[in-house]
Every structure is written in structure tokens, then in C-alpha cells.
Amino acid sequence: MKIHRNRRHPLCVIFILFGVLHSLHTTAQIGLLRERIEKIVVREAATVGVGIMDLETGDTIVINGQKKFPMQSVYKFPLGMAVLKQVDEGKLSMDQMIYLEKGDLLPNAWSPLSKKYPDGNVDVTLREVLSLTVSLSDNSGCDILFRLLGGPNVVNSYIHGLGVDEIAIVSTEEEMHLDWNIQFKNSSTPSAMLQLLEIFYRGKALSKESTDFLWKAMAETTTGPRRIKGLLPSGTIVAHKTGSSGPNKDGLIAANNDVGIVTLPNGKHVAIVVFVSNSTNDEKGMENTIAEISKTAWDYFTGSK
């Protein structure tokens, strides 16, 4: 009896070898990016968490990826997702009116709503409140949205329901303003925030209309121009959300953050997460660290250097 051996065609072997070599090359290259970013991280007198993902290939690097960092206003990004989910489900409408009482406007807190309607007693649309909360990081708007949804725990449950477990949303802006330590309870790991950005980017959580709305609001963000966008070419589209604590009485800054999605010249996208915490550096130095990390990623993915 003649035995037929299962032999691979020479071309098949070549393709397999090519794939292995390509994989090794890609791993080596992404490792080079990691080395460059680590050199920036060690210079900062702080704890730094980084997450970077090529949203086309899935290539990812994380530094301190499982460490919990205070989000500060970065948590307005998942809050926005939770609001828009209820819009998609018909529980809320972007055009519904929300009555603002004077007591809804937080004193001594950043709030374009408070500047526009200092006396309250006015109806505004959900669309306006959400836009100001995300794009301009309105603290009064943030807490109005929390109350509309039923509290931070509702947002927390929604995000965990997406499979993102290492994000904790437990306190309002008003509560954070009253107690310095509260901010550390609203936390995220770099890996978890990167995961949420990917879910958002791929349209897995929201309708296209809601995804487009939130993308536009984040792309129109005016806060933190010297962070992820700081060293990128003028006009680069970055859909992002910042978070800042400011210094305490001892000059320690708990949070200087920026997370978002960068659009490359070829139309592809990269998610970038940078959390800088417990720094004795000044805000300018912390922002420059974020900008340098972002620019290093830009150079890598565009082949600039």
C-alpha cells in the first residue's frame, strides 16, 4: 500500500516564514516605541501611566497599565457615553429641556454654563449641557448629567457592562471639590481607558449618530491644548478629554491627564492615554511630558523618525 505523506507546498512554507518574520519585525518595532516612551516617563517626577494602540492593527503598548490613576474630568468621556446610550434607547432626547436652578451651578468651579446663565432659572437642551460638559469640561454640566441619569453609580454600571471593569466612577464634581482625596476614587487604569476608547472608536457601544456626536464634541475640546495636541502638526484632529486636579497646599498635583484618538495623515487612527499623577513638577512640565509621549507615538506611526 502506498502511503501519501502530507507535505507542504514550497510556496506555503514561504508564506508561513514571511508571516513569522513580519510578526517578529512588528514586535521589535513596537518595542522600540516603548523604549523611547520609557525614556520620557522616567524623567518625570511623578507616576506616569501610558497606553497606546494602533486602532487598525491592534498593536499596543502600556506602561503602568494596571495601576489606578485619578481621572478627574477624563470621566466626562464615559459619562457622555452613558448619556448617549440612554438617548439611543429613547429614555432621553437630545432636544429635551433641562431646567437649571441657580443651585445647580457650582460655585468656585469651572463652568461655562454658570458664566452663560449666572442666575439659573432657565431651560437648556440636553444637547447644550452635554456639549459643554465634554468639549469645555463644564463641572456644573457634569453633575447635572449625573443627576439626570440617577448618579455616578449608573454610569459606573454602564461602563462595567461594556466589559471595562477597571474604571471606577463613584463621585460627583461637587464631591471632588469638597475633599481632595475623593478624586482618587474616580479612577482608571491606562489599559481600561484604552479599552474604552477602542470600544467607542469601533462603534460597539453607541449608534452611529451618537458616536458621531461624541466624536465631534471631543474633537472640539478646548482644554489641554499643550497635552496630546501640544507638539503635533497644526490642524491634527484629536478627539480627546482632559483631566486636571491642580496643586494641593503642598504643591502636589494629583492629576494631569489626556486621553483620546489621533487621526494620522493617512486617515488611520491611534488611541493615546497618558495619566500623570502625584507630581512635584509644575503643570507646564507635566503637559510637556504628555506632549512628548504623543509626539513620539506620532513619529513612530507616521514614519517621521
Side-chain angles (χ1 to χ4, degrees), residues 209-282:
E209 184 178 2
S210 289
T211 299
D212 289 347
F213 177 89
L214 188 53
W215 177 278
K216 183 174 184 292
M218 293 172 69
E220 292 175 349
T221 289
T222 59
T223 58
R226 293 188 296 272
R227 300 183 195 180
I228 286 179
K229 298 179 71 171
L231 296 175
L232 301 186
S234 178
T236 299
I237 298 173
V238 181
H240 65 127
K241 187 69 202 78
T242 60
S244 310
S245 71
N248 66 6
K249 58 183 178 59
D250 298 317
L252 186 72
I253 298 178
N256 194 283
N257 308 324
D258 203 0
V259 311
I261 299 171
V262 177
T263 301
L264 302 176
N266 62 6
K268 295 184 179 181
H269 299 87
V270 175
I272 298 178
V273 173
V274 187
F275 293 133
V276 185
S277 183
N278 293 327
S279 179
T280 55
N281 200 349
D282 58 19

Side-chain angles (χ1 to χ4, degrees), residues 22 28 30 52 91 122 139 176 185 207 221 231 245 264-265 276:
H22 178 73
I30 202 76
I52 297 174
K91 298 175 182 177
V122 62
N139 291 321
M176 284 198 290
K185 296 182 179 181
S207 68
T221 289
L231 296 175
S245 71
L264 302 176
V276 185

Side-chain angles (χ1 to χ4, degrees), residues 4 22-23 37 39 43-44 92 103 114 123 127-128 131 146 181 185-186 197 201 234-235 260-261 263 268 285:
H4 296 277
H22 178 73
S23 178
I37 290 177
K39 290 178 181 178
R43 298 202 309 261
E44 177 65 46
L92 299 173
S114 298
D123 287 314
R127 185 184 308 275
E128 181 177 8
S131 293
F146 273 138
N181 293 316
K185 296 182 179 181
N186 291 320
L197 285 168
Y201 171 75
S234 178
I261 299 171
T263 301
K268 295 184 179 181

Side-chain angles (χ1 to χ4, degrees), residues 71-293:
M71 287 186 288
Q72 277 287 339
S73 288
V74 166
Y75 80 160
K76 293 168 185 170
F77 160 51
L79 167 61
M81 290 184 67
V83 171
L84 288 165
K85 180 61 176 178
Q86 294 209 6
V87 171
D88 287 344
E89 292 175 346
K91 298 175 182 177
L92 299 173
S93 166
M94 295 294 278
D95 296 318
Q96 75 181 69
M97 305 304 293
I98 300 173
Y99 183 72
L100 299 187
E101 298 182 1
K102 189 173 179 60
D104 293 327
L105 305 173
L106 299 177
N108 304 316
W110 169 252
S111 174
L113 273 173
S114 298
K115 291 184 178 181
K116 188 174 182 179
Y117 309 108
D119 298 320
N121 301 317
V122 62
D123 287 314
V124 297
T125 63
L126 173 58
R127 185 184 308 275
E128 181 177 8
V129 176
L130 182 55
S131 293
L132 291 175
T133 298
V134 176
S135 297
L136 302 185
S137 206
D138 194 300
N139 291 321
S140 294
C142 176
D143 283 4
I144 289 166
L145 294 175
F146 273 138
R147 287 194 290 273
L148 183 67
L149 294 180
N153 61 305
V154 174
V155 182
N156 194 58
S157 295
Y158 165 68
I159 296 302
H160 288 187
L162 295 176
V164 184
D165 297 326
E166 294 175 344
I167 290 179
I169 300 171
V170 299
S171 304
T172 64
E173 283 285 353
E174 183 176 19
E175 289 167 335
M176 284 198 290
H177 278 76
L178 293 175
D179 186 339
W180 171 267
N181 293 316
I182 291 293
Q183 67 183 300
F184 295 97
K185 296 182 179 181
N186 291 320
S187 66
S188 175
T189 66
S191 293
M193 188 56 63
L194 204 59
Q195 181 186 2
L196 187 62
L197 285 168
E198 183 188 16
I199 289 171
F200 166 66
Y201 171 75
R202 300 199 188 286
K204 295 179 178 179
L206 303 171
S207 68
K208 185 180 185 306
E209 184 178 2
S210 289
T211 299
D212 289 347
F213 177 89
L214 188 53
W215 177 278
K216 183 174 184 292
M218 293 172 69
E220 292 175 349
T221 289
T222 59
T223 58
R226 293 188 296 272
R227 300 183 195 180
I228 286 179
K229 298 179 71 171
L231 296 175
L232 301 186
S234 178
T236 299
I237 298 173
V238 181
H240 65 127
K241 187 69 202 78
T242 60
S244 310
S245 71
N248 66 6
K249 58 183 178 59
D250 298 317
L252 186 72
I253 298 178
N256 194 283
N257 308 324
D258 203 0
V259 311
I261 299 171
V262 177
T263 301
L264 302 176
N266 62 6
K268 295 184 179 181
H269 299 87
V270 175
I272 298 178
V273 173
V274 187
F275 293 133
V276 185
S277 183
N278 293 327
S279 179
T280 55
N281 200 349
D282 58 19
E283 184 176 31
K284 182 178 179 181
M286 298 172 76
E287 290 188 324
N288 190 60
T289 293
I290 297 174
E292 285 189 32
I293 290 171

Side-chain angles (χ1 to χ4, degrees), residues 12-33:
C12 182
V13 174
I14 291 172
F15 287 139
I16 291 172
L17 288 174
F18 177 80
V20 171
L21 290 174
H22 178 73
S23 178
L24 291 173
H25 175 73
T26 301
T27 301
Q29 289 296 100
I30 202 76
L32 180 60
L33 173 60

